[in-house]
Amino acid sequence: MTPSTDRNQQLFERARALIPGGVNSPVRAFRAVGGTPRFVQRAQGAYFWDANGARCIDYIGSWGPMILGHGHPRVVEAVQRAVTEGFSFGAPTEREVELAEEIVKHLPSVEMVRLVSSGTEAAMSAIRLARGATGRSFIVKFEGCYHGHADALLVKAGSGLATFGHPTSAGVPPEVVQHTLVLEYNNVEQLEAAFARHGAELACVIIEPIAGNMNLVRASVPFMQKCRELCTRHGALLVFDEVMTGFRVALGGAQGIYAKALPGFAPDITVLGKVIGGGMPLAAFGGPRAIMEKLAPLGPVYQAGTLSGNPVATACGLATLKEIAQPGFYDALARKTKSLVDGLQGAAAEAGIPFAADCEGGMFGFFLLPELPQNYAAVMKSDSARFGKLFHGLLDRGVYIAPALYEAGFVSSAHSEQDIAETIAVARDVFKAL
Ligand code: HOZ
């Protein structure tokens, strides 16, 4: 398509004149893969249509929330009803209580929950709560885990073990991250050394249990067990960032999966987002009553928001959670995701392309590497030029995956067997041309 007739290109040019990079969130700009972002005109089920009217099978699903696919009729109906009742009140509603009840019902570690508007806000507030509840300042995060763009969390590892991190963004003063210790994911020895040195000062360890921001890398069971043991022994809180994995990998989230391998396992604070809003701006953090009661207005930890518990967002989230709680929902979703991943694996093998993949529930990740990486440094060894070719090969043939190799993928209940088969057939051709 020539630039003059390509609506995506035209819109991108207009956007770039007014919006930094032409996008409202950096990864959408296709900087990692080059080319022109697709401007979405509408979406339904497993598909979206771009500004040129081209249909794509969507494996991003708004970066995770659209677990039922786009425009699920019962969710649309709930949102339409809510809209007629009012957009925002800045006052409590029954629906917030219902959503809190629904969240607490499925997550045994969560007795109380506070609703907010974005994952960034939820993670930032969870850290403040952990610090307020413990009276300590220092936190541990892991390289490659993303917890939103709050200042103290935009940090990369320092030069040596147990040194504090450096800001990854301009505008974050070094003093703001001086209490953030950045460690390697899945590295038990480093974690032990960090606790030996700083255990009494640590408010919390925050972790994506199945990381979705370095593609998909899961914490090993022994590593998770060590996180739990050390936090308990040293009086630090274990904060699970389940913004991506919550209600996405299983009804009980990633914590339910670790609890199967480690009986009695539970995090202290859970951060949620994405699926609980069903595509609307809604997130949450929750935990045991004794911790949550430290929050204002009951306790000294301040946190507030005009749009928190928004009535349209809660209607969307509640309708979504009701659908996914149906018996068999996650078994069917996991089967579908696994068949996609197996099919891609087979297509890559036929073409002699190194390929390793993992999936859980409706979330998947793959690497153009001979084996699954265990940490960020290993993820960084992926062949980004080859990924760019794969991405564009798929996109040109109507299959939309994340435009960066550091992102996980998502399958919804709306993806049909035929969609998966079509995707694998397309991938087979694209792999052969790589
Ligand atoms: N936080 C997402 C990447 N892991 C990007 C969100 C977006 O661009 O919409």
Side-chain angles (χ1 to χ4, degrees):
M1 190 155 318
T2 62
S4 57
T5 55
D6 184 341
R7 277 280 292 151
N8 292 309
Q9 183 66 35
Q10 288 169 0
L11 286 171
F12 195 35
E13 273 156 31
R14 274 173 63 196
R16 272 191 298 199
L18 298 166
I19 302 170
V23 291
N24 285 310
S25 189
V27 71
R28 300 177 195 178
F30 278 27
R31 297 293 277 260
V33 290
T36 305
R38 299 307 188 256
F39 280 67
V40 177
Q41 203 164 53
R42 68 187 176 90
Q44 185 58 48
Y47 316 119
F48 72 76
W49 285 262
D50 75 6
N52 293 325
R55 191 201 80 167
C56 281
I57 305 177
D58 182 8
Y59 289 106
I60 299 184
S62 186
W63 304 91
M66 311 314 298
I67 195 165
L68 301 174
H70 298 281
H72 186 284
R74 279 186 288 279
V75 179
V76 171
E77 196 192 317
V79 169
Q80 282 172 337
R81 200 175 330 116
V83 163
T84 63
E85 291 165 1
F87 293 180
S88 182
F89 314 121
T93 63
E94 181 171 352
R95 221 175 281 129
E96 290 166 273
V97 186
E98 286 176 353
L99 185 59
E101 284 166 351
E102 198 65 21
I103 291 171
V104 164
K105 183 162 88 192
H106 298 298
L107 299 177
S109 73
V110 176
E111 289 176 343
M112 295 185 98
V113 64
R114 170 65 54 88
L115 303 182
V116 295
S117 300
S118 74
T120 288
E121 199 186 345
M124 180 188 81
S125 305
I127 297 281
R128 184 178 304 151
L129 177 61
R131 286 173 160 160
T134 57
R136 301 173 177 184
S137 300
F138 290 85
I139 63 174
V140 164
K141 85 171 279 292
F142 299 100
E143 186 111 61
C145 287
Y146 177 72
H147 308 289
H149 60 276
D151 283 357
L153 295 164
L154 289 180
V155 200
K156 64 172 186 262
S159 51
L161 168 65
T163 60
F164 292 93
H166 301 305
T168 51
S169 167
V172 177
E175 310 83 71
V176 174
V177 300
Q178 69 186 2
H179 295 115
T180 308
L181 178 57
V182 186
L183 303 179
E184 190 173 73
Y185 199 68
N186 276 326
N187 187 329
V188 169
E189 293 75 31
Q190 251 191 40
L191 189 66
E192 281 175 334
F195 266 93
R197 197 152 152 185
H198 300 287
E201 305 163 296
L202 287 175
C204 68
V205 169
I206 184 165
I207 185 168
E208 281 186 277
I210 300 174
N213 287 284
M214 47 176 160
N215 211 305
L216 186 153
V217 181
R218 61 176 81 216
S220 73
V221 170
F223 180 69
M224 192 55 82
Q225 187 172 22
K226 191 55 77 178
C227 286
R228 181 62 279 175
E229 264 173 38
L230 288 170
C231 282
T232 304
R233 192 181 323 146
H234 293 266
L237 301 180
L238 180 59
V239 180
F240 254 37
D241 183 339
E242 295 227 46
V243 168
M244 267 197 197
T245 53
F247 297 98
R248 169 49 81 174
V249 296
L251 191 56
Q255 55 196 266
I257 294 171
Y258 285 95
K260 278 192 190 134
L262 303 168
F265 176 89
D268 297 303
I269 299 178
T270 298
V271 182
L272 297 164
K274 299 199 188 269
V275 169
I276 62 162
M280 291 273 177
L282 197 153
F285 59 104
R289 194 170 299 282
I291 295 177
M292 294 303 287
E293 285 184 345
K294 302 274 186 228
L295 276 181
L298 296 181
V301 179
Y302 188 69
Q303 186 280 326
T306 298
L307 295 175
S308 293
N310 174 271
V312 183
T314 47
C316 188
L318 199 52
T320 301
L321 292 193
K322 293 244 160 86
E323 293 300 318
I324 64 183
Q326 301 298 320
F329 178 89
Y330 284 93
D331 290 341
L333 185 65
R335 260 198 310 278
K336 225 179 268 184
T337 311
K338 181 85 170 66
S339 74
L340 171 71
V341 161
D342 288 348
L344 294 175
Q345 182 100 55
E350 277 171 35
I353 306 280
F355 187 92
D358 195 4
C359 62
E360 193 67 58
M363 183 170 168
F364 68 92
F366 67 80
F367 302 87
L368 301 178
L369 291 171
E371 56 189 41
L372 285 174
Q374 297 301 308
N375 56 47
Y376 185 65
V379 170
M380 294 291 280
K381 295 195 177 122
S382 304
D383 183 340
S384 57
R386 195 175 237 184
F387 176 82
K389 283 192 201 143
L390 172 66
F391 171 81
H392 281 294
L394 293 173
L395 184 58
D396 290 347
R397 292 164 181 79
V399 174
Y400 190 56
I401 61 168
L405 55 76
Y406 307 112
E407 304 286 350
F410 301 96
V411 173
S412 76
S413 56
H415 286 82
S416 65
E417 308 271 325
Q418 203 182 324
D419 294 325
I420 306 278
E422 186 182 326
T423 304
I424 294 165
V426 165
R428 191 169 289 124
D429 288 346
V430 176
F431 276 127
K432 279 188 195 137
L434 285 186

